[in-house]
Amino acid sequence: MLQTLVGIVIGLLMMPFLIQTLGKELYGLWIVIGSIVGTYYLLDLGFNQAVTRYVSKYIHQNNPDAANRIINTALVIYSILGVLVFLASIVAAYFGAESLMQNSEQLTLAQTILVIVGFSIALEFPAKAFPGIISAYMRYDYIAKIRMLKSVVDALCIYLLVSNGYGLISMALITLVTGLISTILFIRFSLGLFKGMQFDQKLIDLSTIKEVFHFSKWVFITDFSTMLREKMDIWFVAFYLGNIALTVYYVAIRLVEYAIQFLMQATGITGPIFTELYAKNENNKLKDAVMLFLKLDVALGLVAFSGFCILGSSFIEVWMKGAVPTNESFLCLLILIVGRLSIYFTSPINSLLMTLKKHHVISWLSIIEIIISALLCVLIIPVYGIYGAAVAMTVPLIVSRLITLPFLVKRYVELELFELLVRFSLVVVVHAVFLTFVYVEWIKGNSLDLAFIILSAPVVIVCSLVISFFLFNRQEIGLLKKKFTKNGFLNKVG
Protein backbone atom coordinates (compact mmCIF):
# COMPACT_ATOMS: atom_id res chain seq x y z
CA MET A 1 0.00 0.00 0.00
CA LEU A 2 2.84 2.38 0.89
CA GLN A 3 4.56 1.67 -2.42
CA THR A 4 1.36 2.52 -4.31
CA LEU A 5 0.85 5.71 -2.29
CA VAL A 6 4.44 6.85 -2.87
CA GLY A 7 4.14 6.14 -6.59
CA ILE A 8 0.91 8.12 -6.88
CA VAL A 9 2.30 11.09 -4.93
CA ILE A 10 5.40 11.15 -7.13
CA GLY A 11 3.24 10.99 -10.24
CA LEU A 12 1.01 13.80 -9.05
CA LEU A 13 4.05 15.99 -8.38
CA MET A 14 6.11 15.13 -11.44
CA MET A 15 3.49 15.15 -14.21
CA PRO A 16 2.60 18.88 -14.11
CA PHE A 17 6.28 19.74 -13.67
CA LEU A 18 7.28 17.76 -16.76
CA ILE A 19 4.42 19.11 -18.87
CA GLN A 20 5.27 22.70 -17.98
CA THR A 21 9.05 22.23 -18.32
CA LEU A 22 9.23 20.01 -21.41
CA GLY A 23 6.07 21.24 -23.11
CA LYS A 24 3.04 19.22 -24.21
CA GLU A 25 4.67 18.12 -27.48
CA LEU A 26 7.76 16.53 -25.91
CA TYR A 27 5.83 15.13 -22.96
CA GLY A 28 3.42 13.56 -25.44
CA LEU A 29 6.40 11.97 -27.19
CA TRP A 30 7.56 10.53 -23.85
CA ILE A 31 4.08 9.04 -23.31
CA VAL A 32 4.02 7.41 -26.75
CA ILE A 33 7.52 5.97 -26.34
CA GLY A 34 6.59 4.63 -22.92
CA SER A 35 3.52 2.93 -24.37
CA ILE A 36 5.56 1.39 -27.19
CA VAL A 37 8.33 -0.03 -25.04
CA GLY A 38 5.68 -1.32 -22.64
CA THR A 39 4.63 -3.75 -25.35
CA TYR A 40 8.07 -5.38 -25.19
CA TYR A 41 6.96 -7.12 -22.00
CA LEU A 42 4.63 -9.20 -24.19
CA LEU A 43 7.71 -11.14 -25.26
CA ASP A 44 7.45 -12.61 -21.78
CA LEU A 45 4.73 -14.78 -23.40
CA GLY A 46 3.02 -15.27 -20.04
CA PHE A 47 5.96 -17.30 -18.70
CA ASN A 48 6.54 -14.98 -15.74
CA GLN A 49 3.45 -16.05 -13.79
CA ALA A 50 3.94 -19.68 -14.76
CA VAL A 51 7.62 -19.73 -13.71
CA THR A 52 6.75 -17.97 -10.45
CA ARG A 53 3.99 -20.49 -9.76
CA TYR A 54 6.12 -23.59 -10.36
CA VAL A 55 9.27 -22.37 -8.61
CA SER A 56 7.24 -21.39 -5.56
CA LYS A 57 5.46 -24.76 -5.64
CA TYR A 58 8.69 -26.80 -5.77
CA ILE A 59 10.38 -24.78 -3.03
CA HIS A 60 7.34 -25.33 -0.78
CA GLN A 61 7.54 -29.06 -1.60
CA ASN A 62 11.22 -29.05 -0.56
CA ASN A 63 12.23 -30.10 -4.07
CA PRO A 64 15.24 -27.88 -4.87
CA ASP A 65 16.23 -29.94 -7.94
CA ALA A 66 12.91 -29.29 -9.67
CA ALA A 67 13.05 -25.60 -8.66
CA ASN A 68 16.58 -25.31 -10.06
CA ARG A 69 15.53 -26.91 -13.36
CA ILE A 70 12.77 -24.35 -13.76
CA ILE A 71 15.03 -21.42 -12.80
CA ASN A 72 17.97 -22.46 -15.00
CA THR A 73 15.72 -23.17 -17.98
CA ALA A 74 13.85 -19.89 -17.47
CA LEU A 75 17.14 -18.01 -17.21
CA VAL A 76 18.20 -19.24 -20.66
CA ILE A 77 14.79 -18.45 -22.16
CA TYR A 78 14.64 -14.98 -20.65
CA SER A 79 18.19 -14.18 -21.71
CA ILE A 80 17.22 -14.99 -25.31
CA LEU A 81 14.02 -12.96 -24.94
CA GLY A 82 16.08 -10.06 -23.58
CA VAL A 83 18.16 -10.06 -26.76
CA LEU A 84 14.94 -10.08 -28.80
CA VAL A 85 13.63 -7.12 -26.79
CA PHE A 86 16.73 -5.10 -27.62
CA LEU A 87 16.49 -6.03 -31.30
CA ALA A 88 12.82 -5.08 -31.25
CA SER A 89 13.71 -1.67 -29.81
CA ILE A 90 16.19 -1.10 -32.65
CA VAL A 91 13.58 -2.09 -35.24
CA ALA A 92 11.02 0.20 -33.61
CA ALA A 93 13.54 3.05 -33.54
CA TYR A 94 14.62 2.90 -37.16
CA PHE A 95 11.49 1.61 -38.87
CA GLY A 96 8.64 3.00 -36.76
CA ALA A 97 9.80 6.14 -35.01
CA GLU A 98 9.12 8.35 -38.04
CA SER A 99 5.39 8.02 -37.32
CA LEU A 100 5.91 9.64 -33.89
CA MET A 101 7.55 12.88 -34.94
CA GLN A 102 7.71 14.75 -38.21
CA ASN A 103 10.88 16.88 -38.08
CA SER A 104 14.33 15.29 -38.18
CA GLU A 105 15.45 16.62 -34.80
CA GLN A 106 12.53 15.02 -33.01
CA LEU A 107 12.90 11.83 -35.06
CA THR A 108 16.51 11.41 -33.91
CA LEU A 109 15.41 12.09 -30.35
CA ALA A 110 12.67 9.45 -30.52
CA GLN A 111 15.06 6.88 -32.00
CA THR A 112 17.66 7.47 -29.30
CA ILE A 113 15.16 7.16 -26.46
CA LEU A 114 13.60 4.00 -27.93
CA VAL A 115 17.02 2.30 -28.04
CA ILE A 116 17.99 3.39 -24.50
CA VAL A 117 14.70 2.38 -22.88
CA GLY A 118 14.57 -0.85 -24.89
CA PHE A 119 18.07 -1.75 -23.67
CA SER A 120 16.96 -1.01 -20.11
CA ILE A 121 14.02 -3.41 -20.39
CA ALA A 122 16.19 -6.05 -22.07
CA LEU A 123 18.51 -6.04 -19.05
CA GLU A 124 15.54 -6.75 -16.77
CA PHE A 125 14.42 -9.90 -18.57
CA PRO A 126 16.92 -12.44 -17.13
CA ALA A 127 15.78 -11.46 -13.62
CA LYS A 128 12.31 -12.82 -14.45
CA ALA A 129 13.64 -16.28 -13.67
CA PHE A 130 13.73 -15.50 -9.92
CA PRO A 131 10.35 -14.08 -8.72
CA GLY A 132 9.21 -17.57 -7.67
CA ILE A 133 11.83 -17.46 -4.91
CA ILE A 134 10.38 -14.23 -3.55
CA SER A 135 6.89 -15.74 -3.74
CA ALA A 136 7.91 -18.92 -1.92
CA TYR A 137 9.44 -17.02 0.98
CA MET A 138 6.72 -14.32 1.00
CA ARG A 139 9.28 -11.48 0.89
CA TYR A 140 7.22 -9.07 -1.18
CA ASP A 141 8.17 -6.36 1.31
CA TYR A 142 11.72 -6.27 -0.03
CA ILE A 143 10.53 -5.89 -3.62
CA ALA A 144 8.20 -3.09 -2.55
CA LYS A 145 11.06 -1.27 -0.83
CA ILE A 146 13.33 -1.58 -3.87
CA ARG A 147 10.64 -0.33 -6.24
CA MET A 148 9.71 2.51 -3.92
CA LEU A 149 13.34 3.58 -3.56
CA LYS A 150 13.78 3.44 -7.33
CA SER A 151 10.72 5.64 -7.85
CA VAL A 152 12.01 8.25 -5.41
CA VAL A 153 15.54 8.27 -6.89
CA ASP A 154 14.15 8.46 -10.44
CA ALA A 155 11.95 11.41 -9.52
CA LEU A 156 14.71 13.32 -7.75
CA CYS A 157 17.27 12.78 -10.51
CA ILE A 158 14.80 13.65 -13.27
CA TYR A 159 13.71 16.79 -11.42
CA LEU A 160 17.31 17.96 -10.98
CA LEU A 161 18.38 17.29 -14.56
CA VAL A 162 15.24 18.57 -16.30
CA SER A 163 15.27 21.71 -14.12
CA ASN A 164 18.78 22.39 -15.39
CA GLY A 165 17.87 22.14 -19.04
CA TYR A 166 18.37 18.46 -19.75
CA GLY A 167 15.60 16.66 -21.61
CA LEU A 168 14.15 13.28 -22.49
CA ILE A 169 17.47 11.54 -23.11
CA SER A 170 18.59 12.28 -19.56
CA MET A 171 15.29 10.84 -18.28
CA ALA A 172 15.86 7.67 -20.31
CA LEU A 173 19.43 7.29 -19.02
CA ILE A 174 18.26 7.72 -15.41
CA THR A 175 15.71 4.92 -15.79
CA LEU A 176 18.41 2.74 -17.39
CA VAL A 177 20.88 3.17 -14.51
CA THR A 178 18.37 2.86 -11.66
CA GLY A 179 16.69 -0.07 -13.40
CA LEU A 180 19.99 -1.93 -13.69
CA ILE A 181 20.86 -1.30 -10.03
CA SER A 182 17.43 -2.43 -8.80
CA THR A 183 17.63 -5.59 -10.95
CA ILE A 184 21.05 -6.49 -9.49
CA LEU A 185 19.75 -5.97 -5.95
CA PHE A 186 16.69 -8.12 -6.69
CA ILE A 187 18.80 -11.01 -8.01
CA ARG A 188 21.25 -10.86 -5.08
CA PHE A 189 18.40 -10.92 -2.57
CA SER A 190 16.67 -13.83 -4.34
CA LEU A 191 19.86 -15.91 -4.33
CA GLY A 192 20.32 -15.16 -0.64
CA LEU A 193 16.86 -16.54 0.16
CA PHE A 194 17.17 -19.79 -1.80
CA LYS A 195 20.22 -21.48 -0.29
CA GLY A 196 19.85 -24.47 -2.60
CA MET A 197 20.24 -22.39 -5.75
CA GLN A 198 22.54 -23.93 -8.37
CA PHE A 199 23.60 -22.82 -11.83
CA ASP A 200 24.53 -25.71 -14.10
CA GLN A 201 24.07 -26.39 -17.79
CA LYS A 202 22.81 -29.88 -16.89
CA LEU A 203 19.85 -28.29 -15.09
CA ILE A 204 18.56 -26.74 -18.31
CA ASP A 205 15.59 -28.93 -19.19
CA LEU A 206 13.65 -27.73 -22.21
CA SER A 207 10.98 -30.39 -21.67
CA THR A 208 9.74 -28.34 -18.71
CA ILE A 209 8.68 -25.62 -21.15
CA LYS A 210 5.65 -27.69 -22.17
CA GLU A 211 4.36 -27.81 -18.60
CA VAL A 212 5.00 -24.11 -18.07
CA PHE A 213 3.53 -23.10 -21.42
CA HIS A 214 0.29 -25.00 -20.75
CA PHE A 215 -0.35 -22.64 -17.84
CA SER A 216 1.07 -19.53 -19.46
CA LYS A 217 -0.82 -19.49 -22.78
CA TRP A 218 -4.07 -18.11 -21.35
CA VAL A 219 -2.11 -15.76 -19.10
CA PHE A 220 -0.39 -14.44 -22.23
CA ILE A 221 -3.72 -13.85 -24.00
CA THR A 222 -5.07 -12.00 -20.97
CA ASP A 223 -1.87 -9.95 -20.60
CA PHE A 224 -1.91 -9.15 -24.31
CA SER A 225 -5.51 -7.95 -24.13
CA THR A 226 -4.81 -5.89 -21.01
CA MET A 227 -1.80 -4.26 -22.64
CA LEU A 228 -3.78 -3.31 -25.73
CA ARG A 229 -6.61 -1.94 -23.61
CA GLU A 230 -4.17 0.25 -21.69
CA LYS A 231 -2.10 1.40 -24.70
CA MET A 232 -4.32 1.32 -27.76
CA ASP A 233 -6.14 4.62 -27.22
CA ILE A 234 -2.78 6.33 -26.65
CA TRP A 235 -1.54 5.14 -30.04
CA PHE A 236 -4.72 6.14 -31.87
CA VAL A 237 -4.83 9.60 -30.26
CA ALA A 238 -1.15 10.20 -31.10
CA PHE A 239 -1.69 8.99 -34.68
CA TYR A 240 -4.86 10.96 -35.45
CA LEU A 241 -4.53 14.01 -33.18
CA GLY A 242 -0.85 14.42 -32.28
CA ASN A 243 1.16 14.54 -29.07
CA ILE A 244 -0.33 17.79 -27.72
CA ALA A 245 -3.85 16.32 -27.72
CA LEU A 246 -2.41 13.12 -26.25
CA THR A 247 -1.01 15.04 -23.27
CA VAL A 248 -4.46 16.51 -22.55
CA TYR A 249 -6.01 13.04 -22.80
CA TYR A 250 -3.28 11.44 -20.70
CA VAL A 251 -4.12 13.64 -17.70
CA ALA A 252 -7.45 11.82 -17.50
CA ILE A 253 -5.78 8.43 -18.00
CA ARG A 254 -3.38 8.99 -15.11
CA LEU A 255 -6.10 10.04 -12.67
CA VAL A 256 -8.16 6.99 -13.57
CA GLU A 257 -5.12 4.74 -13.11
CA TYR A 258 -4.37 6.24 -9.69
CA ALA A 259 -7.96 5.68 -8.56
CA ILE A 260 -7.99 2.07 -9.76
CA GLN A 261 -4.66 1.38 -8.04
CA PHE A 262 -6.11 2.55 -4.72
CA LEU A 263 -9.27 0.51 -5.19
CA MET A 264 -7.35 -2.65 -6.09
CA GLN A 265 -5.20 -2.23 -2.99
CA ALA A 266 -8.38 -2.17 -0.92
CA THR A 267 -10.07 -5.29 -2.30
CA GLY A 268 -7.54 -7.04 -4.54
CA ILE A 269 -7.24 -10.02 -2.18
CA THR A 270 -9.94 -12.24 -3.64
CA GLY A 271 -7.69 -14.83 -5.31
CA PRO A 272 -6.28 -16.53 -2.16
CA ILE A 273 -9.64 -16.36 -0.36
CA PHE A 274 -11.60 -17.90 -3.24
CA THR A 275 -8.92 -20.55 -3.80
CA GLU A 276 -8.98 -21.65 -0.16
CA LEU A 277 -12.77 -21.89 -0.05
CA TYR A 278 -12.83 -23.81 -3.35
CA ALA A 279 -10.13 -26.19 -2.16
CA LYS A 280 -12.17 -26.92 0.97
CA ASN A 281 -15.25 -27.55 -1.21
CA GLU A 282 -17.17 -24.88 0.72
CA ASN A 283 -19.23 -23.81 -2.26
CA ASN A 284 -21.88 -21.84 -0.37
CA LYS A 285 -19.23 -19.81 1.40
CA LEU A 286 -17.51 -19.25 -1.94
CA LYS A 287 -20.72 -17.85 -3.46
CA ASP A 288 -21.27 -15.59 -0.46
CA ALA A 289 -17.67 -14.40 -0.65
CA VAL A 290 -18.03 -13.51 -4.33
CA MET A 291 -21.25 -11.59 -3.68
CA LEU A 292 -19.72 -9.70 -0.76
CA PHE A 293 -16.68 -8.66 -2.76
CA LEU A 294 -18.85 -7.63 -5.71
CA LYS A 295 -20.80 -5.31 -3.41
CA LEU A 296 -17.63 -3.97 -1.82
CA ASP A 297 -16.17 -3.17 -5.22
CA VAL A 298 -19.36 -1.41 -6.30
CA ALA A 299 -19.46 0.61 -3.08
CA LEU A 300 -15.84 1.75 -3.31
CA GLY A 301 -16.09 2.34 -7.06
CA LEU A 302 -19.07 4.65 -6.57
CA VAL A 303 -17.04 6.59 -4.00
CA ALA A 304 -14.35 7.16 -6.63
CA PHE A 305 -16.89 8.14 -9.27
CA SER A 306 -18.63 10.58 -6.90
CA GLY A 307 -15.32 12.15 -5.98
CA PHE A 308 -14.37 12.68 -9.62
CA CYS A 309 -17.80 14.12 -10.46
CA ILE A 310 -17.72 16.65 -7.62
CA LEU A 311 -14.03 17.48 -7.27
CA GLY A 312 -12.40 16.26 -10.49
CA SER A 313 -12.61 19.44 -12.53
CA SER A 314 -11.30 21.65 -9.74
CA PHE A 315 -8.52 19.19 -8.95
CA ILE A 316 -7.31 19.11 -12.56
CA GLU A 317 -7.26 22.91 -12.67
CA VAL A 318 -5.28 23.15 -9.43
CA TRP A 319 -3.01 20.22 -10.32
CA MET A 320 -2.13 21.23 -13.88
CA LYS A 321 -2.10 24.98 -13.20
CA GLY A 322 -3.51 25.73 -16.63
CA ALA A 323 -1.03 23.54 -18.52
CA VAL A 324 -3.92 21.64 -20.17
CA PRO A 325 -7.57 22.57 -20.92
CA THR A 326 -9.40 21.53 -17.75
CA ASN A 327 -12.82 20.85 -19.26
CA GLU A 328 -11.46 18.56 -21.98
CA SER A 329 -9.45 16.43 -19.54
CA PHE A 330 -12.34 16.37 -17.07
CA LEU A 331 -14.90 15.07 -19.57
CA CYS A 332 -12.48 12.36 -20.70
CA LEU A 333 -11.93 11.50 -17.04
CA LEU A 334 -15.64 10.94 -16.40
CA ILE A 335 -16.01 8.75 -19.49
CA LEU A 336 -12.88 6.67 -18.87
CA ILE A 337 -13.59 6.03 -15.18
CA VAL A 338 -16.94 4.43 -16.07
CA GLY A 339 -15.19 1.89 -18.29
CA ARG A 340 -12.43 1.09 -15.83
CA LEU A 341 -14.94 0.78 -13.00
CA SER A 342 -16.82 -1.75 -15.10
CA ILE A 343 -13.71 -3.93 -14.92
CA TYR A 344 -13.21 -3.23 -11.22
CA PHE A 345 -16.84 -3.95 -10.31
CA THR A 346 -16.63 -7.42 -11.85
CA SER A 347 -13.06 -8.28 -10.77
CA PRO A 348 -14.36 -10.78 -8.16
CA ILE A 349 -15.99 -12.69 -11.02
CA ASN A 350 -12.62 -12.70 -12.80
CA SER A 351 -10.99 -14.16 -9.68
CA LEU A 352 -13.76 -16.74 -9.40
CA LEU A 353 -13.19 -17.88 -12.98
CA MET A 354 -9.45 -18.11 -12.33
CA THR A 355 -10.18 -20.22 -9.25
CA LEU A 356 -12.42 -22.52 -11.29
CA LYS A 357 -9.76 -22.67 -14.04
CA LYS A 358 -12.19 -21.05 -16.47
CA HIS A 359 -10.09 -17.95 -17.09
CA HIS A 360 -10.27 -18.56 -20.84
CA VAL A 361 -13.70 -16.87 -20.63
CA ILE A 362 -12.04 -13.60 -19.60
CA SER A 363 -9.36 -14.01 -22.24
CA TRP A 364 -11.84 -14.35 -25.12
CA LEU A 365 -14.01 -11.60 -23.73
CA SER A 366 -10.99 -9.30 -23.56
CA ILE A 367 -10.10 -10.03 -27.18
CA ILE A 368 -13.62 -9.09 -28.30
CA GLU A 369 -13.43 -5.87 -26.27
CA ILE A 370 -10.15 -4.92 -27.94
CA ILE A 371 -11.42 -5.58 -31.47
CA ILE A 372 -14.56 -3.48 -30.93
CA SER A 373 -12.60 -0.67 -29.26
CA ALA A 374 -10.11 -0.59 -32.13
CA LEU A 375 -12.89 -0.31 -34.69
CA LEU A 376 -14.57 2.45 -32.69
CA CYS A 377 -11.26 4.33 -32.38
CA VAL A 378 -10.82 4.32 -36.15
CA LEU A 379 -14.39 5.48 -36.70
CA ILE A 380 -14.92 8.18 -34.08
CA ILE A 381 -11.55 9.63 -33.03
CA PRO A 382 -11.14 11.53 -36.34
CA VAL A 383 -14.61 13.05 -35.76
CA TYR A 384 -14.85 13.55 -31.99
CA GLY A 385 -11.19 13.76 -30.99
CA ILE A 386 -10.13 12.71 -27.49
CA TYR A 387 -13.78 12.38 -26.42
CA GLY A 388 -14.19 9.77 -29.13
CA ALA A 389 -11.16 7.89 -27.79
CA ALA A 390 -12.63 7.81 -24.30
CA VAL A 391 -16.00 6.56 -25.60
CA ALA A 392 -14.35 3.94 -27.82
CA MET A 393 -12.52 2.45 -24.84
CA THR A 394 -15.47 2.64 -22.43
CA VAL A 395 -18.56 1.40 -24.29
CA PRO A 396 -17.24 -2.14 -25.03
CA LEU A 397 -16.23 -2.53 -21.37
CA ILE A 398 -19.70 -1.59 -20.13
CA VAL A 399 -21.39 -4.08 -22.44
CA SER A 400 -18.82 -6.82 -21.85
CA ARG A 401 -18.23 -6.62 -18.10
CA LEU A 402 -21.57 -5.42 -16.74
CA ILE A 403 -23.90 -7.32 -19.10
CA THR A 404 -22.15 -10.22 -20.84
CA LEU A 405 -19.82 -11.47 -18.08
CA PRO A 406 -22.52 -11.92 -15.39
CA PHE A 407 -24.54 -13.90 -17.93
CA LEU A 408 -21.57 -16.13 -18.81
CA VAL A 409 -20.56 -16.86 -15.22
CA LYS A 410 -24.00 -18.38 -14.54
CA ARG A 411 -22.87 -21.37 -16.61
CA TYR A 412 -20.44 -22.26 -13.80
CA VAL A 413 -21.84 -20.77 -10.57
CA GLU A 414 -25.32 -19.62 -9.60
CA LEU A 415 -24.93 -16.18 -8.02
CA GLU A 416 -27.71 -13.97 -6.64
CA LEU A 417 -27.07 -11.31 -9.27
CA PHE A 418 -30.69 -10.17 -9.54
CA GLU A 419 -30.68 -9.03 -5.92
CA LEU A 420 -27.41 -7.19 -6.56
CA LEU A 421 -28.89 -5.53 -9.65
CA VAL A 422 -31.89 -4.25 -7.68
CA ARG A 423 -29.74 -2.89 -4.87
CA PHE A 424 -27.25 -1.44 -7.35
CA SER A 425 -30.01 0.39 -9.25
CA LEU A 426 -31.32 1.89 -6.01
CA VAL A 427 -27.86 3.04 -4.91
CA VAL A 428 -27.10 4.56 -8.33
CA VAL A 429 -30.36 6.57 -8.27
CA VAL A 430 -29.63 7.87 -4.77
CA HIS A 431 -26.08 8.75 -5.81
CA ALA A 432 -27.43 10.65 -8.82
CA VAL A 433 -29.71 12.69 -6.56
CA PHE A 434 -26.81 13.33 -4.16
CA LEU A 435 -24.44 14.47 -6.92
CA THR A 436 -27.08 16.72 -8.46
CA PHE A 437 -27.83 18.35 -5.10
CA VAL A 438 -24.14 18.92 -4.34
CA TYR A 439 -23.43 20.41 -7.76
CA VAL A 440 -26.47 22.71 -7.80
CA GLU A 441 -26.47 23.83 -4.17
CA TRP A 442 -22.81 23.64 -3.25
CA ILE A 443 -20.44 23.88 -6.19
CA LYS A 444 -22.68 25.88 -8.55
CA GLY A 445 -20.18 25.60 -11.39
CA ASN A 446 -17.41 27.32 -9.41
CA SER A 447 -13.81 26.17 -9.30
CA LEU A 448 -12.64 25.07 -5.85
CA ASP A 449 -9.23 25.85 -4.37
CA LEU A 450 -6.89 23.16 -3.04
CA ALA A 451 -7.80 23.67 0.63
CA PHE A 452 -11.50 23.33 -0.13
CA ILE A 453 -10.87 20.18 -2.20
CA ILE A 454 -8.93 18.58 0.66
CA LEU A 455 -11.61 19.46 3.23
CA SER A 456 -14.46 18.37 0.96
CA ALA A 457 -13.03 14.99 -0.02
CA PRO A 458 -13.74 13.24 3.33
CA VAL A 459 -17.31 14.56 3.29
CA VAL A 460 -17.89 13.18 -0.21
CA ILE A 461 -16.37 9.82 0.76
CA VAL A 462 -18.50 9.44 3.89
CA CYS A 463 -21.73 10.45 2.14
CA SER A 464 -21.10 8.06 -0.73
CA LEU A 465 -20.28 5.17 1.63
CA VAL A 466 -23.44 5.79 3.65
CA ILE A 467 -25.52 5.64 0.47
CA SER A 468 -23.72 2.46 -0.61
CA PHE A 469 -24.71 0.64 2.60
CA PHE A 470 -27.99 -0.15 0.83
CA LEU A 471 -25.99 -2.68 -1.19
CA PHE A 472 -25.41 -4.96 1.79
CA ASN A 473 -27.74 -7.20 3.74
CA ARG A 474 -27.59 -7.52 7.53
CA GLN A 475 -25.26 -10.51 7.53
CA GLU A 476 -22.78 -8.77 5.21
CA ILE A 477 -22.79 -5.62 7.32
CA GLY A 478 -21.94 -7.79 10.33
CA LEU A 479 -18.99 -9.26 8.49
CA LEU A 480 -17.72 -5.82 7.53
CA LYS A 481 -17.80 -4.76 11.17
CA LYS A 482 -15.22 -7.42 11.93
CA LYS A 483 -12.73 -5.37 9.87
CA PHE A 484 -12.70 -7.95 7.10
CA THR A 485 -9.80 -9.94 8.52
CA LYS A 486 -8.95 -13.13 6.70
CA ASN A 487 -9.73 -15.50 9.56
CA GLY A 488 -12.94 -13.75 10.47
CA PHE A 489 -14.06 -13.79 6.86
CA LEU A 490 -13.37 -17.44 6.26
CA ASN A 491 -15.02 -18.48 9.49
CA LYS A 492 -18.13 -16.36 9.15
CA VAL A 493 -18.97 -16.24 5.44
CA GLY A 494 -22.00 -18.36 4.63
Side-chain angles (χ1 to χ4, degrees), residues 52-97:
T52 298
R53 179 176 184 267
Y54 284 105
V55 170
S56 178
K57 170 187 172 182
Y58 289 136
I59 290 177
H60 280 304
Q61 292 177 346
N62 196 26
N63 189 348
D65 290 338
N68 277 311
R69 283 198 301 272
I70 295 289
I71 293 173
N72 278 262
T73 305
L75 186 60
V76 172
I77 294 172
Y78 279 125
S79 297
I80 296 172
L81 291 176
V83 174
L84 293 178
V85 165
F86 184 58
L87 294 176
S89 68
I90 295 175
V91 172
Y94 292 98
F95 296 95

Side-chain angles (χ1 to χ4, degrees), residues 432-445:
V433 173
F434 166 66
L435 294 175
T436 302
F437 173 79
V438 170
Y439 191 81
V440 173
E441 298 296 331
W442 188 16
I443 298 179
K444 300 178 180 179

Side-chain angles (χ1 to χ4, degrees), residues 296-348:
L296 273 172
D297 283 6
V298 169
L300 295 177
L302 288 174
V303 171
F305 183 75
S306 299
F308 280 144
C309 286
I310 296 173
L311 305 173
S313 178
S314 297
F315 180 81
I316 291 174
E317 186 170 342
V318 173
W319 180 36
M320 287 290 116
K321 300 176 182 178
V324 300
T326 298
N327 290 336
E328 294 182 24
S329 293
F330 176 60
L331 184 55
C332 289
L333 169 65
L334 294 185
I335 299 172
L336 289 171
I337 190 62
V338 172
R340 291 299 299 273
L341 285 178
S342 299
I343 299 175
Y344 175 69
F345 286 164
T346 55
S347 58

Side-chain angles (χ1 to χ4, degrees), residues 199-423:
F199 295 102
D200 194 323
Q201 186 176 350
K202 297 178 181 179
L203 292 171
I204 300 173
D205 181 11
L206 297 182
S207 64
T208 61
I209 295 178
K210 293 182 179 180
E211 182 182 11
V212 172
F213 181 74
H214 178 72
F215 180 86
S216 69
K217 60 183 179 182
W218 290 113
V219 175
F220 169 72
I221 293 174
T222 302
D223 288 347
F224 179 74
S225 302
T226 300
M227 183 278 298
L228 285 180
R229 184 171 59 241
E230 294 176 349
K231 310 294 185 184
M232 184 170 61
D233 51 341
I234 292 176
W235 299 335
F236 277 111
V237 170
F239 179 77
Y240 284 112
L241 307 176
N243 291 334
I244 293 178
L246 174 60
T247 298
V248 177
Y249 182 72
Y250 195 69
V251 170
I253 290 179
R254 293 305 293 166
L255 288 177
V256 170
E257 289 177 349
Y258 293 151
I260 296 300
Q261 286 178 31
F262 261 122
L263 294 174
M264 290 305 298
Q265 286 286 333
T267 60
I269 56 173
T270 53
I273 293 176
F274 292 176
T275 300
E276 183 171 346
L277 292 173
Y278 180 70
K280 293 179 177 179
N281 202 30
E282 296 179 340
N283 295 328
N284 289 332
K285 284 188 176 184
L286 177 60
K287 293 178 184 179
D288 290 342
V290 174
M291 291 302 300
L292 181 56
F293 273 102
L294 281 170
K295 293 178 180 181
L296 273 172
D297 283 6
V298 169
L300 295 177
L302 288 174
V303 171
F305 183 75
S306 299
F308 280 144
C309 286
I310 296 173
L311 305 173
S313 178
S314 297
F315 180 81
I316 291 174
E317 186 170 342
V318 173
W319 180 36
M320 287 290 116
K321 300 176 182 178
V324 300
T326 298
N327 290 336
E328 294 182 24
S329 293
F330 176 60
L331 184 55
C332 289
L333 169 65
L334 294 185
I335 299 172
L336 289 171
I337 190 62
V338 172
R340 291 299 299 273
L341 285 178
S342 299
I343 299 175
Y344 175 69
F345 286 164
T346 55
S347 58
I349 295 180
N350 296 2
S351 294
L352 175 63
L353 291 173
M354 287 286 289
T355 300
L356 301 177
K357 298 182 180 180
K358 303 296 182 182
H359 47 295
H360 64 278
V361 174
I362 300 297
S363 298
W364 287 115
L365 208 57
S366 298
I367 292 173
I368 295 172
E369 291 167 0
I370 294 303
I371 293 173
I372 296 174
S373 289
L375 292 174
L376 289 176
C377 282
V378 173
L379 292 173
I380 64 180
I381 288 180
V383 180
Y384 297 102
I386 58 176
Y387 305 139
V391 170
M393 301 306 297
T394 297
V395 171
L397 293 176
I398 295 174
V399 175
S400 172
R401 302 303 172 119
L402 299 185
I403 299 175
T404 308
L405 183 58
F407 175 78
L408 293 176
V409 78
K410 292 183 66 176
R411 298 170 56 186
Y412 308 107
V413 179
E414 283 292 335
L415 300 175
E416 297 295 331
L417 295 177
F418 181 75
E419 177 210 353
L420 177 58
L421 177 62
V422 173
R423 291 177 178 268

Side-chain angles (χ1 to χ4, degrees), residues 32-220:
V32 175
I33 291 175
S35 69
I36 291 174
V37 298
T39 63
Y40 298 165
Y41 287 107
L42 286 177
L43 288 173
D44 173 80
L45 301 177
F47 280 120
N48 189 33
Q49 290 190 39
V51 169
T52 298
R53 179 176 184 267
Y54 284 105
V55 170
S56 178
K57 170 187 172 182
Y58 289 136
I59 290 177
H60 280 304
Q61 292 177 346
N62 196 26
N63 189 348
D65 290 338
N68 277 311
R69 283 198 301 272
I70 295 289
I71 293 173
N72 278 262
T73 305
L75 186 60
V76 172
I77 294 172
Y78 279 125
S79 297
I80 296 172
L81 291 176
V83 174
L84 293 178
V85 165
F86 184 58
L87 294 176
S89 68
I90 295 175
V91 172
Y94 292 98
F95 296 95
E98 64 272 9
S99 63
L100 302 180
M101 284 292 170
Q102 299 301 320
N103 64 66
S104 58
E105 181 182 350
Q106 292 172 331
L107 175 59
T108 302
L109 176 64
Q111 291 172 331
T112 304
I113 297 171
L114 279 168
V115 172
I116 294 173
V117 179
F119 181 60
S120 176
I121 294 176
L123 292 177
E124 294 178 16
F125 258 66
K128 290 178 175 288
F130 303 101
I133 299 174
I134 302 295
S135 176
Y137 293 97
M138 301 295 287
R139 289 305 308 271
Y140 302 109
D141 59 312
Y142 181 82
I143 302 303
K145 291 175 183 177
I146 290 295
R147 290 175 178 171
M148 186 167 58
L149 180 61
K150 180 183 184 304
S151 298
V152 173
V153 172
D154 281 347
L156 291 174
C157 292
I158 288 173
Y159 177 80
L160 290 173
L161 290 181
V162 174
S163 297
N164 286 279
Y166 295 92
L168 297 184
I169 293 180
S170 67
M171 293 169 59
L173 289 173
I174 289 170
T175 58
L176 168 62
V177 174
T178 58
L180 178 59
I181 294 173
S182 62
T183 298
I184 293 173
L185 291 175
F186 168 74
I187 294 175
R188 285 179 59 87
F189 182 73
S190 299
L191 298 181
L193 285 175
F194 185 27
K195 303 301 182 182
M197 183 69 228
Q198 297 179 10
F199 295 102
D200 194 323
Q201 186 176 350
K202 297 178 181 179
L203 292 171
I204 300 173
D205 181 11
L206 297 182
S207 64
T208 61
I209 295 178
K210 293 182 179 180
E211 182 182 11
V212 172
F213 181 74
H214 178 72
F215 180 86
S216 69
K217 60 183 179 182
W218 290 113
V219 175
F220 169 72

